[in-house]
Amino acid sequence: MTELQASLIAIGGAIVVGVVSYNKWQEWRARRSVENAFSPLEEDVLMGPKGGGERQEPVLGPVGAVGREDDSQTLDRSLGHGGEPDDEAVHADGSVPFVETAPKPFPLDTFIDCVIPVALEMPLRGEKITAAFQKLRLVGNKHVEVIGETESGDWEKVAVAGAYHALQVGVQLANRHGPLSELEYSELVTGLDQLSDELGATPELPEMTEVMSLAKRLYQLIHEFDIQLSINVRAKEGPWSLATLRPALQRQGLEIRPDGRMVMQDGEGSVLYWVLTNANPADDTSSLMTLLLPVATVAPEREGFRSMTAFARSLASRLSGTIVDDEGHPLSDESLAAIAQQIRSFYGAMEQTGISPGSPRAQRLFA
């Protein structure tokens, strides 16, 4: 072996050792940064109302609600069970908003369900009805529900131990995936026809054209209000170790779901906001976390945006990060305040359509 060859081998070995050492140092630094950030853990639980942050977006877009009250009334009145409006609830222009208050709520929501009355030749036990409808729980991706009238005249979801004198079948007119289609409605009609002989039942089917029109109108409302607002925390000094980051975030109150996403709950089991690490399954580190607020399904009194921004500020402070929008621009306090105002306007527009943010109706429509 010549002296030149020996020198080249020595240089190559030094380079390999240097690369391995650098990678190990980067991994140690990523882990160390997270450990330092979350140890010791503090009592504020990243949910305090303090200010801080930076930026230039996100934008919710226009939130006008022109004509939506009329659409809401058409939906509810066309499908029945709307009830007489309270005099005090009438708008100045004569239109009536939809209110989800009632001493005993009707099990189906006539604002979002196509309700089909079903007459029975004789009272039926709940177990027979339940067994018959097992094969008709979904049409396409639209949920089907059956309710029954008890001897006292009340309506309830069909229960095994109950006895019912009449039925009503409801299919959701629209969801985030689209409006009820002609094919899905035909599938429902066919299924009800098959059950008629088995149950001694006679359904009163509405016209398909009317149902399709209402479904498209409802889907338009869903499309307009299906908003997920995001802010991000970007690392300033190299990536964070996921092996340390995920458990630390769990200790701050986040729950890891089966799909790997982390969620902050609102205290009653519903989602307040999501936290994503933007990492692939094989990744060991991440340089960006995204916080997502499902605006329509979070009630205003939960103050989801305030909680989410407080959490982001605390993450940025602890992990040496910066709050940015989806384009990577820093989000300032003024920008975050402007977004909060847009959310308030957005909630007001939703209320005018009859969809209260965070309500059971909203949860069904935007699930």
Side-chain angles (χ1 to χ4, degrees):
M1 179 183 298
T2 67
E3 185 176 339
L4 175 61
Q5 289 174 322
S7 299
L8 291 175
I9 290 173
I11 293 171
I15 291 173
V16 170
V17 171
V19 170
V20 172
S21 300
Y22 178 77
N23 289 339
K24 289 292 185 182
W25 176 79
Q26 284 282 73
E27 181 181 343
W28 174 84
R29 189 172 123 179
R31 187 181 300 275
R32 187 72 173 172
S33 67
V34 176
E35 289 175 345
N36 290 339
F38 288 99
S39 182
L41 297 177
E42 306 197 5
E43 286 294 334
D44 59 26
V45 192
L46 304 180
M47 294 293 288
K50 297 182 181 180
E54 304 134 273
R55 137 34 174 154
Q56 191 212 345
E57 261 197 46
V59 177
L60 286 174
V63 293
V66 178
R68 289 179 186 142
E69 296 91 336
D70 292 340
D71 290 347
S72 304
Q73 293 168 50
T74 303
L75 284 168
D76 216 359
R77 289 173 180 167
S78 298
L79 296 178
H81 303 290
E84 290 300 318
D86 188 273
D87 291 338
E88 295 181 358
V90 178
H91 290 307
D93 61 359
S95 61
V96 182
F98 286 88
V99 182
E100 294 183 83
T101 57
K104 191 170 184 180
F106 191 68
L108 295 175
D109 186 342
T110 55
F111 181 82
I112 63 178
D113 292 317
C114 170
V115 179
I116 301 172
V118 180
L120 298 176
E121 293 177 357
M122 62 183 67
L124 293 178
R125 299 293 300 176
E127 51 266 33
K128 182 172 184 178
I129 300 169
T130 301
F133 273 88
Q134 281 299 324
K135 50 197 169 191
L136 197 60
R137 289 300 182 188
L138 285 174
V139 289
N141 55 31
K142 310 300 187 299
H143 181 70
V144 177
E145 186 67 70
V146 57
I147 64 173
E149 185 182 22
T150 65
E151 187 174 354
S152 62
D154 294 326
W155 289 91
E156 66 181 24
K157 289 185 179 181
V158 171
V160 171
Y164 303 98
H165 297 258
L167 303 177
Q168 293 199 18
V169 176
V171 58
Q172 190 162 321
L173 285 163
N175 56 27
R176 295 175 70 190
H177 305 291
L180 184 72
S181 67
E182 292 184 0
L183 181 62
E184 290 168 335
Y185 185 67
S186 297
E187 182 182 343
L188 177 65
V189 171
T190 301
L192 289 176
D193 285 342
Q194 293 173 350
L195 292 176
S196 293
D197 293 336
E198 182 179 347
L199 297 177
T202 305
E204 299 177 24
L205 299 168
E207 290 292 331
M208 179 184 287
T209 53
E210 178 187 5
V211 175
M212 295 301 100
S213 175
L214 296 172
K216 290 175 182 176
R217 211 171 300 165
L218 181 60
Y219 178 65
Q220 182 60 35
L221 288 180
I222 296 173
H223 182 69
E224 290 179 22
F225 291 104
D226 190 11
I227 300 294
Q228 288 194 328
L229 185 64
S230 66
I231 58 176
N232 307 279
V233 179
R234 184 179 60 196
K236 289 181 182 178
E237 305 174 354
W240 307 298
S241 168
L242 293 175
T244 309
L245 181 63
R246 287 194 178 108
L249 290 174
Q250 281 183 281
R251 290 195 296 271
Q252 302 307 311
L254 291 175
E255 172 192 329
I256 296 184
R257 294 290 172 88
D259 60 4
R261 292 198 296 175
M262 292 176 285
V263 59
M264 181 67 77
Q265 294 188 355
D266 64 1
E268 296 185 0
S270 297
V271 173
L272 193 59
Y273 54 84
W274 300 93
V275 177
L276 291 72
T277 58
N278 297 299
N280 296 317
D283 292 342
D284 295 323
T285 61
S286 174
S287 298
L288 185 74
M289 279 185 286
T290 299
L291 288 76
L292 281 173
L293 176 70
V295 183
T297 59
V298 178
E301 58 268 21
R302 297 293 182 190
E303 297 190 5
F305 186 68
R306 184 198 65 79
S307 297
M308 187 174 76
T309 53
F311 195 90
R313 286 174 177 133
S314 187
L315 286 177
S317 174
R318 292 185 177 191
L319 295 172
S320 185
T322 304
I323 300 177
V324 299
D325 65 11
D326 290 341
E327 302 299 323
H329 302 129
L331 281 163
S332 66
D333 289 347
E334 291 76 13
S335 297
L336 292 171
I339 295 168
Q341 180 58 47
Q342 282 187 302
I343 292 174
R344 286 190 285 272
S345 299
F346 178 87
Y347 280 153
M350 276 192 72
E351 288 283 1
Q352 290 186 28
T353 69
I355 307 172
S356 298
S359 65
R361 179 178 287 176
Q363 297 288 347
R364 285 185 60 191
L365 288 175
F366 300 99

